[in-house]
Amino acid sequence: MPENKDNIPAAKGSRRTRRTRRRRGWPAVMAGTATLALAVAVVGAGTLFPGANATTQTKPVPHLLPVGEALANCQGPTQLLAGSAAGTDPDFSANSSSTRTQLNAVVLSGTAGDLPGSAVQSLNGKFSPLFTVAQAPAGPAATPTELTGKPKLRAALVRQKSADGPSVLRVQPLGEENPQASGSVVVDAGDGDLAGLAAATCQTPSNELWLSGASTTVGRTAILAISNSSASPATISLELFGQGGPVQSAGGRGLVVAAGAVRSVVLSGLAPDEEMLSVHLKSSGAAVSAVIQQSVLRGLTPGGIDYLAPVQAPASTLAIPGVRVQAPDAAARISGQSGYDDATTILAVTVPGVADSMVEVKAYGPDGQVALPNGGVFTAAAGKVSQLPLAGLPQGTYSLSINADAAVAATVRIVNSTKAGDAVDLAFAPSAGRLGDTHLVTLPQDTSSTLVFTAPEGASTLSLVPISADGVPGAGKDVALRAGTTKTLDPAAFLGSGTAAVLISVSGAPTYGTQLLGKPGSAGIAVLPIAGTAAGTHSINITTSY
C-alpha cells in the first residue's frame, strides 16, 4: 500500500453508517459467530430429531457492520480530445490558458468535536498526496456522550484548491462514528472549444451507475471518465441505450480500470451519431465513480460543456429539482439559429425494460404546479431514450416529478444563453435521491449559488445550518416547504455572506434538492447534485433456519 505524508491509507472499503453511538466492531462479529454456531446446532438437531419442522425460520437479526473510511471521488479538469480520438484511452490536448479548475471540500467533526483525519490524493495510479483537509486526532477519538452546554460541532474546509487531475477525498473513521464529508469541483473556461461552466459533486464509489443525456452527433463530444480509488482493479461493462434502442458494442465489455486510476472512454467510438444516449455501468471487483464530460462545438462556436452526474436507478417514481428555463421567446431565438436544433431544454427518459412505459410529468414552480406541453403525458418506448420538450414553460426555476407504469431513468438538459449569436452553455439536472439528515454542501466561490428544493407529495421542513470558512457553524434556520412547490434560496443572502458550506437536514414528506451555479455576466450554468448522507446504519440481516 502506498505511503503518504497524511497517514491516510491508500485505499480501503468504504462503508457509511449512522453518526450515533454504537458497539465496537468485535462484539458484532462475535454475535455473528454465535448466530452461525447456533444455526449449525439447530440444523444438527433437525437431523437428529426427524420430528423437527425443517422449514421453520427465525426472525432476521440485524448485525452492525464496522465503521470504515469514507471515499469521495472528485473529477479533474475538462479535457480536450486530441484530433478525432475515439474509443478507450484517448489522447488529450492542453486546455485553454483561461481554464480554472478548483476543488472545494468540507469535513464535519464528530459529536465530541474531534475532526477526522482527511486528505485529498491524486488518482494517478500512485495515490500521490495533494493536500490535507484535517489532521487526525493525536489520541483515540473521544467516545460520544450526551452533549451538555455549548455544542461542540465544527468543520474543516478547503476552498479554491487548484485541481490538475482527478482525485479522491479520503476521510478516516472517527472512533465509533461514521465520517461525514463532501466535495465538489468547478471548472470555468472563458474561451476555447470547451468554454463554459462545468461542475461535479465528488461521488461515493458504487458497483452500478446510470448516466443519461450524452450526445455523440457531429460537433458533440461525450467522454465517460471512470474513477477507481480502491486498491483493487475494477472490470467494467457498459450497456448503452439510444433513441433507436439498445446499442450493441463489443468495446463496452471487459474494460479494466486499474487501482487508483481513471480510465476515459470516448462514447462516439461505441455509439456514434446518437442524439441522446444513456449508459448503464456495472463494475465487478472494485466500486467506481463515473461522469460524462459533454461538450458542444458548432463550427467554431463553443456550445457549452458540463459533467453529467449519475442519475437515480430506474424507478416508477422520480424527482428532478433545479430545472432552470429561459423565457420562451429568448429560447426560440437561440434554437431557431442554424445548427442550434438541440439548444433546447428537454427531459430525457430512458426505458431499460422490454415494455413501453406511460409517463406522467408534473412541473412545480414557486406557487405550485405549472402546465406542461401536451399535459406532460407521453409514451416512452421500450429500450430507448425519449424526449419531452420543456421550452414552453414560463421563465423560472422548476422541479419535475415523474410517474411511470414501468421503471425509467431520467435527466434534464438545460440550455442557457445571453443573446442570439453569442456562445451558449448547457447543464444537466439528474434525478435526485431523497434528502435525509446531515447533507453537506460546499458553496464554490466566484459563482452564483442557488439551492433548490421540492416536496412533490407533501409538506416538509428544511433545516439549514451555515458553516463559515474557518469551520464554525452558525445559527440554523428552518424553512417550511409546501407540497407541490419549488423553493429557491440564495444561501449567502439567507444564511449570511460568510457562509462557505451548508449542513442540510429534512423532516416530513419526501424532499429533493440540488445546487444551481451561474456565472454572472455570461451564459455559464452548472448543476451540483447534493451528496448523500452518512446517516443511516449499514447492517446485514442474518436469518437462521432448520
Side-chain angles (χ1 to χ4, degrees):
M1 182 179 299
E3 298 181 353
N4 60 75
K5 63 182 180 182
D6 300 305
N7 295 320
I8 308 296
K12 289 185 179 180
S14 172
R15 293 189 174 96
R16 294 171 175 256
T17 52
R18 183 177 300 277
R19 180 183 294 281
T20 54
R21 184 178 181 180
R22 57 170 50 88
R23 297 168 295 176
R24 296 187 183 274
W26 62 266
V29 173
M30 290 190 66
T33 306
T35 304
L36 179 60
L38 176 61
V40 172
V42 173
V43 170
T47 304
L48 294 174
F49 304 97
N53 183 351
T55 62
T56 300
Q57 290 186 338
T58 65
K59 293 182 179 179
V61 178
H63 289 259
L64 296 176
L65 297 176
V67 176
E69 67 175 1
L71 300 176
N73 295 346
C74 304
Q75 189 60 22
T78 53
Q79 295 182 297
L80 181 64
L81 283 178
S84 57
T88 60
D89 305 316
D91 293 325
F92 297 99
S93 299
N95 276 343
S96 165
S97 59
S98 70
T99 302
R100 298 175 62 207
T101 304
Q102 297 180 335
L103 188 149
N104 305 279
V106 55
V107 175
L108 201 63
S109 74
T111 54
D114 292 329
L115 287 166
S118 46
V120 175
Q121 300 171 338
S122 174
L123 289 180
N124 58 357
K126 303 176 182 179
F127 295 105
S128 301
L130 297 178
F131 54 86
T132 298
V133 181
Q135 294 286 354
T143 301
T145 57
E146 182 180 355
L147 294 178
T148 58
K150 189 175 181 179
K152 299 180 181 180
L153 188 70
R154 62 190 180 114
L157 291 89
V158 292
R159 307 185 77 191
Q160 290 190 303
K161 285 285 189 178
S162 179
D164 297 327
S167 59
V168 55
L169 170 61
R170 194 180 299 278
V171 188
Q172 294 175 331
L174 194 61
E176 298 175 357
E177 294 184 80
N178 209 41
Q180 183 88 345
S182 178
S184 63
V185 171
V186 178
V187 184
D188 183 17
D191 55 26
D193 291 350
L194 303 182
L197 188 65
T201 302
C202 300
Q203 294 177 39
T204 300
S206 174
N207 286 95
E208 185 171 11
L209 297 166
W210 284 83
L211 301 103
S212 184
S215 178
T216 61
T217 57
V218 177
R220 283 71 180 160
T221 303
I223 304 171
L224 172 66
I226 308 169
S227 300
N228 178 10
S229 56
S230 80
S232 303
T235 302
I236 307 298
S237 64
L238 304 177
E239 188 179 13
L240 307 174
F241 300 88
Q243 287 195 283
V247 180
Q248 304 300 324
S249 176
R253 305 288 179 181
L255 300 174
V256 177
V257 184
V262 177
R263 187 163 188 179
S264 296
V265 179
V266 182
L267 292 178
S268 61
L270 305 181
D273 203 32
E274 290 288 345
E275 183 179 347
M276 194 61 62
L277 183 69
S278 292
V279 179
H280 180 204
L281 181 153
K282 289 185 177 180
S283 173
S284 60
V288 299
S289 65
V291 299
I292 296 175
Q293 177 190 298
Q294 181 67 55
S295 60
V296 176
L297 188 65
R298 297 182 176 94
L300 299 177
T301 304
I305 187 167
D306 200 18
Y307 292 123
L308 280 63
V311 301
Q312 295 296 296
S316 58
T317 302
L318 296 169
I320 303 179
V323 179
R324 182 165 290 173
V325 177
Q326 286 193 291
D329 56 344
R333 285 195 296 270
I334 298 302
S335 61
Q337 301 174 98
S338 177
Y340 283 70
D341 295 346
D342 62 345
T344 56
T345 298
I346 59 99
L347 167 68
V349 173
T350 305
V351 182
V354 296
D356 294 351
S357 181
M358 182 64 69
V359 180
E360 180 185 24
V361 184
K362 296 180 180 179
Y364 300 106
D367 299 318
Q369 188 175 346
V370 179
L372 278 167
N374 301 320
V377 178
F378 67 102
T379 299
K384 300 180 181 180
V385 183
S386 301
Q387 299 184 30
L388 176 69
L390 301 174
L393 286 170
Q395 182 176 2
T397 301
Y398 299 89
S399 300
L400 303 182
S401 71
I402 300 168
N403 289 279
D405 60 6
V408 299
T411 194
V412 171
R413 181 184 67 205
I414 302 170
V415 175
N416 196 43
S417 63
T418 52
K419 61 181 180 180
D422 286 355
V424 302
D425 199 11
L426 55 82
F428 292 84
S431 52
R434 179 178 177 176
L435 296 178
D437 292 328
T438 59
H439 296 268
L440 283 169
V441 172
T442 60
L443 302 181
Q445 294 176 288
D446 301 327
T447 61
S448 63
S449 177
T450 303
L451 298 177
V452 184
F453 301 99
T454 189
E457 301 174 5
S460 66
T461 300
L462 304 166
S463 175
L464 307 179
V465 178
I467 299 175
S468 67
D470 55 3
V472 178
K477 291 186 177 182
D478 289 344
V479 178
L481 184 57
R482 293 183 291 120
T485 63
T486 292
K487 184 74 173 180
T488 60
L489 294 169
D490 178 343
F494 184 69
L495 297 172
S497 58
T499 303
V502 182
L503 182 63
I504 302 172
S505 296
V506 177
S507 61
T511 301
Y512 308 87
T514 194
Q515 183 178 187
L516 276 175
L517 301 181
K519 186 68 176 177
S522 76
I525 188 171
V527 176
L528 271 179
I530 296 176
T533 176
T537 301
H538 279 212
S539 62
I540 56 174
N541 287 332
I542 298 179
T543 304
T544 58
S545 61
Y546 60 92

